[in-house]
Amino acid sequence: KGAVSRETVLEMARGARQALNADIAVSVSGIAGPAGGTPEKPVGFTWLGLVTPRGEWARHFIWDGDREQNKRYSCDAALQFVLDYLEGKLT
């Protein structure tokens, strides 16, 4: 599936949760740019993973900013992902 995939971000979050003995782990993998994109995975293509004792979730985005903006969008989305979990919005 490659480094930027649903499977990869979930495995990353599982590994982080286990290695850190954490309750919650979030992971991000993407193509921030300015280069590295392909037709299948363009610049801005990003996956986020969240693993908790209650389940595993992944979200996919395609950002349209420059490298710094794409990284900022990913960070904001990861924090929102955790907040959604803590507020009980994930099923």
Side-chain angles (χ1 to χ4, degrees):
K1 299 292 181 173
V4 184
S5 67
R6 180 182 197 281
E7 293 80 5
T8 297
V9 293
L10 289 174
E11 190 61 35
M12 289 168 59
R14 284 182 208 118
R17 186 169 175 258
Q18 181 179 8
L20 300 170
N21 195 28
D23 292 328
I24 299 171
V26 64
S27 61
V28 179
S29 184
I31 303 167
T38 67
E40 297 81 25
K41 295 181 182 180
V43 169
F45 189 93
T46 304
W47 275 98
L48 279 66
L50 178 69
V51 175
T52 76
R54 292 191 0 225
E56 300 181 350
W57 300 268
R59 290 181 175 170
H60 174 255
F61 301 91
I62 300 178
W63 310 123
D64 63 358
D66 63 25
R67 181 176 180 79
E68 290 305 313
Q69 289 169 323
N70 291 340
K71 290 166 56 176
R72 193 171 309 115
Y73 296 151
S74 294
C75 181
D76 290 346
L79 292 172
Q80 185 62 55
F81 207 177
V82 172
L83 185 59
D84 289 348
Y85 170 74
L86 294 173
E87 291 178 341
K89 295 179 181 176
L90 304 179
T91 57

